[in-house]
Amino acid sequence: MRIAAPITLAFLLAACATTSPAERTIAVTGSIAYRERIALPPTAQIEVKLDDVSLADAPANTMATQAFASEGKQVPFAFSLTVDRADIDPRHSYAVSARITDAEGKLMFITDTRNAVTFDGRSAIDMGVLNLVKTN
């Protein structure tokens, strides 16, 4: 009996060590676009976030962020957010949001609807196209 416990423990530790990073993470992908026929300035900044939006009376907890400059490119912009499976609570609600600002940080476009993410055991979730709306 005393020999079996260390052997069992060794097998459990080996199993944990063989889990690849890809198996421990979930990729949330998609693209962002807007309907207006307006070109972005070359210095526009894009930010896409995955938030835990479970608490109604508290700020969202950001789980993953991707931010980059447009560098003169125009929509659609692809995004990919990676989150660790261990950080996902099946009792919580999650959503993706996006925004485009100019070089000075003035908001130009933003998502105005909730883009819910359902974590259901898949290793990749495609959100499709998230449509942003123009701000004033």
Side-chain angles (χ1 to χ4, degrees):
M1 286 293 244
R2 289 186 176 169
I3 295 173
I7 292 173
T8 303
L9 181 59
F11 280 121
L12 288 174
L13 290 173
C16 291
T18 60
T19 304
S20 73
E23 293 170 341
R24 290 191 305 262
T25 61
I26 302 168
V28 178
T29 61
S31 63
I32 62 168
Y34 53 82
R35 297 188 201 295
E36 290 81 2
R37 297 180 56 87
I38 301 169
L40 291 175
T43 56
Q45 300 292 311
I46 294 88
E47 180 182 46
V48 183
K49 298 189 315 181
L50 171 65
D51 292 325
D52 180 340
V53 294
S54 301
L55 302 175
D57 296 337
N61 178 29
T62 300
M63 308 291 291
T65 303
Q66 182 181 9
F68 54 94
S70 68
E71 298 176 341
K73 297 176 185 150
Q74 301 300 316
V75 294
F77 292 106
F79 67 86
S80 180
L81 304 167
T82 304
V83 64
D84 194 313
R85 285 183 190 278
D87 294 337
I88 301 300
D89 186 333
R91 300 168 297 174
H92 287 202
S93 300
Y94 300 92
V96 173
S97 63
R99 61 191 299 130
I100 301 174
T101 58
D102 65 15
E104 289 78 42
K106 182 181 178 212
L107 186 61
M108 299 173 64
F109 294 92
I110 192 166
T111 49
D112 69 342
T113 57
R114 182 176 174 146
N115 299 291
V117 181
T118 303
F119 292 103
D120 55 6
R122 294 178 287 165
S123 60
I125 299 169
D126 183 6
M127 298 294 295
V129 178
L130 306 183
N131 287 306
L132 285 67
V133 296
K134 186 176 182 332
T135 60
N136 292 328

mmCIF file of all heavy atoms in Angstrom, residues 66-106:
data_model
loop_
_atom_site.group_PDB
_atom_site.id
_atom_site.type_symbol
_atom_site.label_atom_id
_atom_site.label_comp_id
_atom_site.label_asym_id
_atom_site.label_seq_id
_atom_site.Cartn_x
_atom_site.Cartn_y
_atom_site.Cartn_z
ATOM 1 N N GLN A 66 -6.995 42.621 -26.575
ATOM 2 C CA GLN A 66 -6.112 42.773 -27.727
ATOM 3 C C GLN A 66 -6.236 44.220 -28.183
ATOM 4 O O GLN A 66 -7.335 44.702 -28.456
ATOM 5 C CB GLN A 66 -6.494 41.825 -28.868
ATOM 6 C CG GLN A 66 -5.565 41.939 -30.058
ATOM 7 C CD GLN A 66 -5.951 41.026 -31.211
ATOM 8 O OE1 GLN A 66 -7.008 40.410 -31.213
ATOM 9 N NE2 GLN A 66 -5.092 40.962 -32.209
ATOM 10 N N ALA A 67 -5.127 44.915 -28.245
ATOM 11 C CA ALA A 67 -5.118 46.314 -28.678
ATOM 12 C C ALA A 67 -4.033 46.489 -29.733
ATOM 13 O O ALA A 67 -2.939 45.930 -29.603
ATOM 14 C CB ALA A 67 -4.860 47.232 -27.494
ATOM 15 N N PHE A 68 -4.359 47.257 -30.767
ATOM 16 C CA PHE A 68 -3.399 47.483 -31.841
ATOM 17 C C PHE A 68 -3.791 48.734 -32.619
ATOM 18 O O PHE A 68 -4.920 49.204 -32.542
ATOM 19 C CB PHE A 68 -3.317 46.266 -32.774
ATOM 20 C CG PHE A 68 -4.644 45.818 -33.333
ATOM 21 C CD1 PHE A 68 -5.083 46.267 -34.567
ATOM 22 C CD2 PHE A 68 -5.448 44.937 -32.624
ATOM 23 C CE1 PHE A 68 -6.304 45.852 -35.086
ATOM 24 C CE2 PHE A 68 -6.664 44.513 -33.133
ATOM 25 C CZ PHE A 68 -7.090 44.973 -34.374
ATOM 26 N N ALA A 69 -2.839 49.266 -33.381
ATOM 27 C CA ALA A 69 -3.071 50.430 -34.234
ATOM 28 C C ALA A 69 -3.558 49.955 -35.599
ATOM 29 O O ALA A 69 -3.172 48.882 -36.071
ATOM 30 C CB ALA A 69 -1.781 51.230 -34.382
ATOM 31 N N SER A 70 -4.384 50.774 -36.243
ATOM 32 C CA SER A 70 -4.902 50.398 -37.562
ATOM 33 C C SER A 70 -3.822 50.461 -38.632
ATOM 34 O O SER A 70 -3.907 49.754 -39.634
ATOM 35 C CB SER A 70 -6.063 51.306 -37.954
ATOM 36 O OG SER A 70 -5.600 52.632 -38.175
ATOM 37 N N GLU A 71 -2.813 51.295 -38.417
ATOM 38 C CA GLU A 71 -1.700 51.441 -39.352
ATOM 39 C C GLU A 71 -2.174 51.685 -40.775
ATOM 40 O O GLU A 71 -1.623 51.160 -41.740
ATOM 41 C CB GLU A 71 -0.780 50.229 -39.292
ATOM 42 C CG GLU A 71 -0.144 50.054 -37.929
ATOM 43 C CD GLU A 71 0.708 48.804 -37.812
ATOM 44 O OE1 GLU A 71 0.558 47.870 -38.638
ATOM 45 O OE2 GLU A 71 1.530 48.760 -36.883
ATOM 46 N N GLY A 72 -3.238 52.484 -40.918
ATOM 47 C CA GLY A 72 -3.762 52.832 -42.231
ATOM 48 C C GLY A 72 -4.705 51.804 -42.827
ATOM 49 O O GLY A 72 -5.305 52.048 -43.863
ATOM 50 N N LYS A 73 -4.857 50.640 -42.183
ATOM 51 C CA LYS A 73 -5.773 49.619 -42.692
ATOM 52 C C LYS A 73 -7.202 49.993 -42.308
ATOM 53 O O LYS A 73 -7.432 50.785 -41.407
ATOM 54 C CB LYS A 73 -5.391 48.248 -42.143
ATOM 55 C CG LYS A 73 -4.018 47.796 -42.587
ATOM 56 C CD LYS A 73 -3.657 46.487 -41.952
ATOM 57 C CE LYS A 73 -2.231 46.144 -42.333
ATOM 58 N NZ LYS A 73 -1.557 45.367 -41.319
ATOM 59 N N GLN A 74 -8.153 49.379 -42.981
ATOM 60 C CA GLN A 74 -9.562 49.649 -42.744
ATOM 61 C C GLN A 74 -10.275 48.367 -42.314
ATOM 62 O O GLN A 74 -9.740 47.264 -42.439
ATOM 63 C CB GLN A 74 -10.200 50.222 -44.020
ATOM 64 C CG GLN A 74 -9.548 51.513 -44.507
ATOM 65 C CD GLN A 74 -9.628 52.644 -43.485
ATOM 66 O OE1 GLN A 74 -10.681 52.852 -42.867
ATOM 67 N NE2 GLN A 74 -8.537 53.370 -43.297
ATOM 68 N N VAL A 75 -11.489 48.529 -41.785
ATOM 69 C CA VAL A 75 -12.280 47.384 -41.329
ATOM 70 C C VAL A 75 -12.587 46.473 -42.509
ATOM 71 O O VAL A 75 -12.637 46.942 -43.645
ATOM 72 C CB VAL A 75 -13.590 47.845 -40.644
ATOM 73 C CG1 VAL A 75 -13.303 48.585 -39.367
ATOM 74 C CG2 VAL A 75 -14.454 48.673 -41.556
ATOM 75 N N PRO A 76 -12.772 45.192 -42.256
ATOM 76 C CA PRO A 76 -12.830 44.526 -40.953
ATOM 77 C C PRO A 76 -11.439 44.219 -40.396
ATOM 78 O O PRO A 76 -10.482 44.025 -41.141
ATOM 79 C CB PRO A 76 -13.580 43.231 -41.243
ATOM 80 C CG PRO A 76 -13.265 42.929 -42.676
ATOM 81 C CD PRO A 76 -13.110 44.267 -43.355
ATOM 82 N N PHE A 77 -11.366 44.181 -39.062
ATOM 83 C CA PHE A 77 -10.153 43.803 -38.340
ATOM 84 C C PHE A 77 -10.426 42.491 -37.615
ATOM 85 O O PHE A 77 -11.403 42.386 -36.883
ATOM 86 C CB PHE A 77 -9.758 44.860 -37.303
ATOM 87 C CG PHE A 77 -9.308 46.155 -37.891
ATOM 88 C CD1 PHE A 77 -10.129 47.271 -37.856
ATOM 89 C CD2 PHE A 77 -8.050 46.275 -38.468
ATOM 90 C CE1 PHE A 77 -9.719 48.472 -38.392
ATOM 91 C CE2 PHE A 77 -7.624 47.474 -39.000
ATOM 92 C CZ PHE A 77 -8.460 48.586 -38.969
ATOM 93 N N ALA A 78 -9.547 41.522 -37.795
ATOM 94 C CA ALA A 78 -9.679 40.243 -37.092
ATOM 95 C C ALA A 78 -9.139 40.393 -35.674
ATOM 96 O O ALA A 78 -8.245 41.199 -35.420
ATOM 97 C CB ALA A 78 -8.906 39.154 -37.827
ATOM 98 N N PHE A 79 -9.720 39.627 -34.747
ATOM 99 C CA PHE A 79 -9.195 39.605 -33.379
ATOM 100 C C PHE A 79 -9.114 38.175 -32.885
ATOM 101 O O PHE A 79 -9.802 37.283 -33.383
ATOM 102 C CB PHE A 79 -10.039 40.459 -32.428
ATOM 103 C CG PHE A 79 -11.433 39.938 -32.179
ATOM 104 C CD1 PHE A 79 -11.677 38.988 -31.183
ATOM 105 C CD2 PHE A 79 -12.515 40.397 -32.921
ATOM 106 C CE1 PHE A 79 -12.959 38.508 -30.957
ATOM 107 C CE2 PHE A 79 -13.792 39.929 -32.698
ATOM 108 C CZ PHE A 79 -14.021 38.984 -31.709
ATOM 109 N N SER A 80 -8.246 37.979 -31.897
ATOM 110 C CA SER A 80 -8.111 36.686 -31.242
ATOM 111 C C SER A 80 -7.742 36.933 -29.781
ATOM 112 O O SER A 80 -6.722 37.544 -29.493
ATOM 113 C CB SER A 80 -7.029 35.847 -31.926
ATOM 114 O OG SER A 80 -6.918 34.591 -31.279
ATOM 115 N N LEU A 81 -8.604 36.473 -28.903
ATOM 116 C CA LEU A 81 -8.406 36.616 -27.462
ATOM 117 C C LEU A 81 -8.208 35.222 -26.873
ATOM 118 O O LEU A 81 -8.925 34.288 -27.231
ATOM 119 C CB LEU A 81 -9.614 37.286 -26.816
ATOM 120 C CG LEU A 81 -10.003 38.644 -27.395
ATOM 121 C CD1 LEU A 81 -11.380 39.057 -26.903
ATOM 122 C CD2 LEU A 81 -8.974 39.674 -27.018
ATOM 123 N N THR A 82 -7.251 35.094 -25.987
ATOM 124 C CA THR A 82 -6.970 33.795 -25.374
ATOM 125 C C THR A 82 -7.191 33.887 -23.874
ATOM 126 O O THR A 82 -6.716 34.820 -23.233
ATOM 127 C CB THR A 82 -5.515 33.373 -25.663
ATOM 128 O OG1 THR A 82 -5.319 33.365 -27.077
ATOM 129 C CG2 THR A 82 -5.234 31.992 -25.112
ATOM 130 N N VAL A 83 -7.907 32.903 -23.348
ATOM 131 C CA VAL A 83 -8.181 32.859 -21.915
ATOM 132 C C VAL A 83 -7.885 31.450 -21.400
ATOM 133 O O VAL A 83 -8.084 30.469 -22.117
ATOM 134 C CB VAL A 83 -9.643 33.283 -21.627
ATOM 135 C CG1 VAL A 83 -10.632 32.331 -22.236
ATOM 136 C CG2 VAL A 83 -9.901 33.432 -20.149
ATOM 137 N N ASP A 84 -7.394 31.383 -20.190
ATOM 138 C CA ASP A 84 -7.093 30.100 -19.558
ATOM 139 C C ASP A 84 -8.398 29.450 -19.094
ATOM 140 O O ASP A 84 -9.241 30.107 -18.483
ATOM 141 C CB ASP A 84 -6.159 30.326 -18.363
ATOM 142 C CG ASP A 84 -5.540 29.040 -17.860
ATOM 143 O OD1 ASP A 84 -6.276 28.043 -17.676
ATOM 144 O OD2 ASP A 84 -4.326 29.041 -17.643
ATOM 145 N N ARG A 85 -8.559 28.166 -19.388
ATOM 146 C CA ARG A 85 -9.772 27.442 -18.974
ATOM 147 C C ARG A 85 -10.017 27.534 -17.466
ATOM 148 O O ARG A 85 -11.153 27.607 -17.026
ATOM 149 C CB ARG A 85 -9.662 25.964 -19.339
ATOM 150 C CG ARG A 85 -9.832 25.659 -20.781
ATOM 151 C CD ARG A 85 -9.783 24.144 -21.028
ATOM 152 N NE ARG A 85 -9.720 23.865 -22.444
ATOM 153 C CZ ARG A 85 -10.782 23.843 -23.234
ATOM 154 N NH1 ARG A 85 -11.972 24.087 -22.753
ATOM 155 N NH2 ARG A 85 -10.641 23.583 -24.515
ATOM 156 N N ALA A 86 -8.934 27.543 -16.699
ATOM 157 C CA ALA A 86 -9.066 27.586 -15.241
ATOM 158 C C ALA A 86 -9.683 28.891 -14.759
ATOM 159 O O ALA A 86 -10.222 28.951 -13.656
ATOM 160 C CB ALA A 86 -7.699 27.383 -14.600
ATOM 161 N N ASP A 87 -9.633 29.943 -15.570
ATOM 162 C CA ASP A 87 -10.189 31.235 -15.177
ATOM 163 C C ASP A 87 -11.679 31.374 -15.492
ATOM 164 O O ASP A 87 -12.298 32.365 -15.117
ATOM 165 C CB ASP A 87 -9.425 32.369 -15.879
ATOM 166 C CG ASP A 87 -7.983 32.455 -15.411
ATOM 167 O OD1 ASP A 87 -7.692 31.987 -14.288
ATOM 168 O OD2 ASP A 87 -7.154 32.992 -16.166
ATOM 169 N N ILE A 88 -12.239 30.406 -16.204
ATOM 170 C CA ILE A 88 -13.646 30.459 -16.590
ATOM 171 C C ILE A 88 -14.506 29.786 -15.529
ATOM 172 O O ILE A 88 -14.274 28.641 -15.163
ATOM 173 C CB ILE A 88 -13.872 29.770 -17.958
ATOM 174 C CG1 ILE A 88 -13.042 30.440 -19.045
ATOM 175 C CG2 ILE A 88 -15.346 29.756 -18.331
ATOM 176 C CD1 ILE A 88 -13.347 31.898 -19.255
ATOM 177 N N ASP A 89 -15.499 30.514 -15.038
ATOM 178 C CA ASP A 89 -16.457 29.981 -14.071
ATOM 179 C C ASP A 89 -17.770 29.737 -14.820
ATOM 180 O O ASP A 89 -18.357 30.692 -15.353
ATOM 181 C CB ASP A 89 -16.665 30.985 -12.936
ATOM 182 C CG ASP A 89 -17.548 30.447 -11.821
ATOM 183 O OD1 ASP A 89 -18.399 29.565 -12.084
ATOM 184 O OD2 ASP A 89 -17.383 30.916 -10.681
ATOM 185 N N PRO A 90 -18.251 28.512 -14.897
ATOM 186 C CA PRO A 90 -19.472 28.228 -15.667
ATOM 187 C C PRO A 90 -20.713 28.947 -15.140
ATOM 188 O O PRO A 90 -21.700 29.074 -15.858
ATOM 189 C CB PRO A 90 -19.627 26.707 -15.572
ATOM 190 C CG PRO A 90 -18.751 26.276 -14.450
ATOM 191 C CD PRO A 90 -17.689 27.310 -14.286
ATOM 192 N N ARG A 91 -20.653 29.459 -13.928
ATOM 193 C CA ARG A 91 -21.792 30.196 -13.365
ATOM 194 C C ARG A 91 -21.783 31.663 -13.774
ATOM 195 O O ARG A 91 -22.753 32.366 -13.547
ATOM 196 C CB ARG A 91 -21.777 30.099 -11.839
ATOM 197 C CG ARG A 91 -21.870 28.660 -11.324
ATOM 198 C CD ARG A 91 -21.562 28.585 -9.862
ATOM 199 N NE ARG A 91 -20.161 29.024 -9.684
ATOM 200 C CZ ARG A 91 -19.581 29.201 -8.521
ATOM 201 N NH1 ARG A 91 -20.248 29.003 -7.413
ATOM 202 N NH2 ARG A 91 -18.320 29.581 -8.444
ATOM 203 N N HIS A 92 -20.701 32.137 -14.395
ATOM 204 C CA HIS A 92 -20.561 33.550 -14.753
ATOM 205 C C HIS A 92 -20.975 33.818 -16.198
ATOM 206 O O HIS A 92 -21.116 32.896 -16.994
ATOM 207 C CB HIS A 92 -19.117 34.001 -14.549
ATOM 208 C CG HIS A 92 -18.751 34.146 -13.108
ATOM 209 N ND1 HIS A 92 -17.722 34.931 -12.683
ATOM 210 C CD2 HIS A 92 -19.280 33.595 -11.978
ATOM 211 C CE1 HIS A 92 -17.623 34.875 -11.373
ATOM 212 N NE2 HIS A 92 -18.551 34.062 -10.926
ATOM 213 N N SER A 93 -21.157 35.091 -16.504
ATOM 214 C CA SER A 93 -21.502 35.536 -17.858
ATOM 215 C C SER A 93 -20.314 36.289 -18.442
ATOM 216 O O SER A 93 -19.667 37.078 -17.747
ATOM 217 C CB SER A 93 -22.702 36.480 -17.819
ATOM 218 O OG SER A 93 -23.819 35.822 -17.273
ATOM 219 N N TYR A 94 -20.064 36.062 -19.741
ATOM 220 C CA TYR A 94 -18.921 36.671 -20.405
ATOM 221 C C TYR A 94 -19.377 37.338 -21.696
ATOM 222 O O TYR A 94 -20.333 36.879 -22.337
ATOM 223 C CB TYR A 94 -17.852 35.620 -20.712
ATOM 224 C CG TYR A 94 -17.345 34.944 -19.455
ATOM 225 C CD1 TYR A 94 -17.930 33.772 -18.979
ATOM 226 C CD2 TYR A 94 -16.312 35.496 -18.725
ATOM 227 C CE1 TYR A 94 -17.481 33.165 -17.821
ATOM 228 C CE2 TYR A 94 -15.859 34.897 -17.550
ATOM 229 C CZ TYR A 94 -16.446 33.735 -17.114
ATOM 230 O OH TYR A 94 -16.010 33.149 -15.959
ATOM 231 N N ALA A 95 -18.694 38.416 -22.081
ATOM 232 C CA ALA A 95 -19.047 39.136 -23.305
ATOM 233 C C ALA A 95 -17.797 39.761 -23.918
ATOM 234 O O ALA A 95 -16.844 40.100 -23.212
ATOM 235 C CB ALA A 95 -20.080 40.213 -23.011
ATOM 236 N N VAL A 96 -17.837 39.936 -25.239
ATOM 237 C CA VAL A 96 -16.767 40.601 -25.974
ATOM 238 C C VAL A 96 -17.258 41.985 -26.366
ATOM 239 O O VAL A 96 -18.395 42.153 -26.812
ATOM 240 C CB VAL A 96 -16.373 39.794 -27.236
ATOM 241 C CG1 VAL A 96 -15.387 40.564 -28.092
ATOM 242 C CG2 VAL A 96 -15.797 38.451 -26.844
ATOM 243 N N SER A 97 -16.392 42.979 -26.196
ATOM 244 C CA SER A 97 -16.706 44.340 -26.629
ATOM 245 C C SER A 97 -15.524 44.882 -27.421
ATOM 246 O O SER A 97 -14.401 44.389 -27.300
ATOM 247 C CB SER A 97 -17.004 45.243 -25.424
ATOM 248 O OG SER A 97 -15.854 45.336 -24.602
ATOM 249 N N ALA A 98 -15.792 45.893 -28.233
ATOM 250 C CA ALA A 98 -14.723 46.482 -29.049
ATOM 251 C C ALA A 98 -14.951 47.978 -29.163
ATOM 252 O O ALA A 98 -16.076 48.472 -29.051
ATOM 253 C CB ALA A 98 -14.700 45.842 -30.428
ATOM 254 N N ARG A 99 -13.843 48.680 -29.415
ATOM 255 C CA ARG A 99 -13.903 50.134 -29.586
ATOM 256 C C ARG A 99 -12.778 50.575 -30.505
ATOM 257 O O ARG A 99 -11.731 49.930 -30.572
ATOM 258 C CB ARG A 99 -13.829 50.844 -28.250
ATOM 259 C CG ARG A 99 -12.541 50.572 -27.509
ATOM 260 C CD ARG A 99 -12.518 51.053 -26.055
ATOM 261 N NE ARG A 99 -12.686 52.465 -25.927
ATOM 262 C CZ ARG A 99 -13.557 53.057 -25.104
ATOM 263 N NH1 ARG A 99 -14.297 52.324 -24.315
ATOM 264 N NH2 ARG A 99 -13.664 54.356 -25.040
ATOM 265 N N ILE A 100 -13.024 51.669 -31.200
ATOM 266 C CA ILE A 100 -11.996 52.303 -32.035
ATOM 267 C C ILE A 100 -11.912 53.753 -31.598
ATOM 268 O O ILE A 100 -12.928 54.445 -31.506
ATOM 269 C CB ILE A 100 -12.341 52.220 -33.532
ATOM 270 C CG1 ILE A 100 -12.482 50.755 -33.971
ATOM 271 C CG2 ILE A 100 -11.275 52.937 -34.367
ATOM 272 C CD1 ILE A 100 -12.956 50.579 -35.412
ATOM 273 N N THR A 101 -10.686 54.196 -31.311
ATOM 274 C CA THR A 101 -10.451 55.580 -30.915
ATOM 275 C C THR A 101 -9.454 56.216 -31.876
ATOM 276 O O THR A 101 -8.714 55.518 -32.574
ATOM 277 C CB THR A 101 -9.892 55.666 -29.479
ATOM 278 O OG1 THR A 101 -8.679 54.918 -29.410
ATOM 279 C CG2 THR A 101 -10.883 55.118 -28.456
ATOM 280 N N ASP A 102 -9.423 57.555 -31.874
ATOM 281 C CA ASP A 102 -8.393 58.225 -32.668
ATOM 282 C C ASP A 102 -7.111 58.294 -31.848
ATOM 283 O O ASP A 102 -7.055 57.797 -30.719
ATOM 284 C CB ASP A 102 -8.866 59.602 -33.144
ATOM 285 C CG ASP A 102 -9.098 60.602 -32.022
ATOM 286 O OD1 ASP A 102 -8.647 60.372 -30.879
ATOM 287 O OD2 ASP A 102 -9.723 61.649 -32.283
ATOM 288 N N ALA A 103 -6.085 58.907 -32.398
ATOM 289 C CA ALA A 103 -4.771 58.938 -31.739
ATOM 290 C C ALA A 103 -4.809 59.648 -30.390
ATOM 291 O O ALA A 103 -4.012 59.350 -29.501
ATOM 292 C CB ALA A 103 -3.750 59.602 -32.649
ATOM 293 N N GLU A 104 -5.742 60.589 -30.206
ATOM 294 C CA GLU A 104 -5.856 61.327 -28.944
ATOM 295 C C GLU A 104 -6.745 60.605 -27.931
ATOM 296 O O GLU A 104 -6.948 61.094 -26.825
ATOM 297 C CB GLU A 104 -6.410 62.738 -29.190
ATOM 298 C CG GLU A 104 -5.434 63.674 -29.887
ATOM 299 C CD GLU A 104 -5.338 63.409 -31.389
ATOM 300 O OE1 GLU A 104 -6.386 63.192 -32.028
ATOM 301 O OE2 GLU A 104 -4.204 63.369 -31.907
ATOM 302 N N GLY A 105 -7.297 59.463 -28.325
ATOM 303 C CA GLY A 105 -8.140 58.702 -27.408
ATOM 304 C C GLY A 105 -9.620 59.004 -27.516
ATOM 305 O O GLY A 105 -10.416 58.459 -26.758
ATOM 306 N N LYS A 106 -10.026 59.858 -28.471
ATOM 307 C CA LYS A 106 -11.442 60.180 -28.649
ATOM 308 C C LYS A 106 -12.153 58.980 -29.278
ATOM 309 O O LYS A 106 -11.729 58.450 -30.301
ATOM 310 C CB LYS A 106 -11.616 61.407 -29.534
ATOM 311 C CG LYS A 106 -13.058 61.793 -29.701
ATOM 312 C CD LYS A 106 -13.219 62.999 -30.590
ATOM 313 C CE LYS A 106 -14.699 63.292 -30.749
ATOM 314 N NZ LYS A 106 -15.010 63.869 -32.039
#
